[in-house]
Amino acid sequence: METLRIVTLNVWGGREFGPLMDFFRRYEDVVDVFCLQEAMDHPNSPRFEAHAGHEVRGDLLEEIIRALPGHRCAFAAHDDQPTWHSQAMCVSDRLIVGPACTATFDWDVSGRFKPRKLQRRAVAASGRSGVVVANFHGLWNAGPKTDTPERMAQSIWLRAELSDEADRGMPLVLAGDFNLNPDTEAFACIRRAGLRELVTESGITSTRTPLYRKHGIAGESQFADYMFVSPTLDVRDFRVLPDVVSDHAALYLEIALPEDDALCADHE
């Protein structure tokens, strides 16, 4: 029985650059798929200050690719705004990989939010069944991660996208930084897509690290990052990794891939 090992991590624009690169080098031979949020791919601006006292790396994707020579990385760029951060997915060379595809959420009644991407790839090991891995980063408004009209609309849109994947007949792993509290209606809307949500199911109490400005403060939510899986998938391991390389913690998932047909080459 072969397994697929997935990590999701908001890389925070590379603010903790040295420890982050060490993280990728340490886990390169362990992790098959990295789902990354707040990656950047504009190497003409290698370093700049995004917030007071915080330097981010425009060349971050380039540096991640160097740190992961055994993986192929795809970036979900915003064509009209190439300097925006977005998702990146890095997949081990040992896997069969389907075409990368993205969908964009751009519904905003307030004018405060940048469009968001849902990045997807179908992956499989030779002679094993395929899995669709989806990488998501939810709307952020500099405030609490509570229900808003935009977040509800986003969850309805995301659930429709997931329904399309279910219709294709392949199991799904949905990972990322959702910027939602687990007690919101917007979060419940995603759960109604019929997926297992592993963070709350596992009794995890925080997906943030000590670098988070509200870390450990009573009454402040310590949640942002989640992993959802199709109920047919055999979860062998799920946990928060101890590495402090961002204000978000990395989540680690290992699932079994039963013997089946290999990945269909025409999956889109």
Side-chain angles (χ1 to χ4, degrees), residues 139-151:
L139 296 171
W140 179 77
N141 65 358
K145 295 172 174 58
T146 51
D147 284 318
T148 66
E150 296 86 359
R151 284 178 172 141

Side-chain angles (χ1 to χ4, degrees), residues 145-166:
K145 295 172 174 58
T146 51
D147 284 318
T148 66
E150 296 86 359
R151 284 178 172 141
M152 276 304 305
Q154 175 184 255
S155 292
I156 292 168
W157 168 83
L158 180 58
R159 195 172 71 180
E161 291 287 331
L162 300 180
S163 295
D164 289 344
E165 287 295 349

Side-chain angles (χ1 to χ4, degrees), residues 18 37 62 79 149 229 248:
Q37 305 87 46
E62 193 173 81
D79 294 336
V229 298
H248 293 254

Side-chain angles (χ1 to χ4, degrees), residues 12-15 38 40 42 45-51 54-60:
W12 209 24
R15 289 167 173 82
E38 289 193 30
M40 310 188 84
H42 49 108
S45 301
R47 302 181 187 185
F48 60 95
E49 189 174 280
H51 302 288
H54 289 287
E55 183 181 82
V56 299
R57 304 280 305 219
D59 61 350
L60 183 57

Side-chain angles (χ1 to χ4, degrees), residues 78-231:
H78 295 271
D79 294 336
D80 56 339
Q81 293 288 346
T83 62
W84 284 357
H85 66 67
S86 191
Q87 286 92 280
M89 193 181 299
C90 301
V91 182
S92 171
D93 288 341
R94 80 177 185 87
L95 296 175
I96 304 165
V97 183
C101 63
T102 60
T104 304
F105 175 76
D106 191 13
W107 182 89
D108 184 358
V109 298
S110 66
R112 294 179 296 163
F113 296 112
K114 296 176 181 178
R116 295 290 172 154
K117 296 283 189 180
L118 174 65
Q119 183 184 38
R120 286 169 288 189
R121 303 204 83 170
V123 301
S126 179
R128 308 283 171 164
S129 62
V131 174
V132 173
V133 180
N135 181 18
F136 184 64
H137 189 191
L139 296 171
W140 179 77
N141 65 358
K145 295 172 174 58
T146 51
D147 284 318
T148 66
E150 296 86 359
R151 284 178 172 141
M152 276 304 305
Q154 175 184 255
S155 292
I156 292 168
W157 168 83
L158 180 58
R159 195 172 71 180
E161 291 287 331
L162 300 180
S163 295
D164 289 344
E165 287 295 349
D167 290 343
R168 299 173 193 268
M170 293 181 71
L172 174 72
V173 174
L174 171 65
D177 170 10
F178 288 73
N179 279 316
L180 282 174
N181 290 337
D183 59 353
T184 57
E185 178 58 27
F187 189 80
C189 180
I190 300 170
R191 295 188 68 162
R192 288 195 288 269
L195 302 172
R196 292 176 60 191
E197 190 286 295
L198 300 178
V199 168
T200 56
E201 179 183 305
S202 302
I204 290 167
T205 58
S206 175
T207 66
R208 308 306 296 248
T209 74
L211 297 177
Y212 178 47
R213 61 189 176 89
K214 298 180 181 179
H215 183 259
I217 297 176
E220 295 289 348
S221 174
Q222 304 299 305
F223 293 97
D225 311 272
Y226 302 95
M227 276 191 172
F228 297 80
V229 298
S230 295

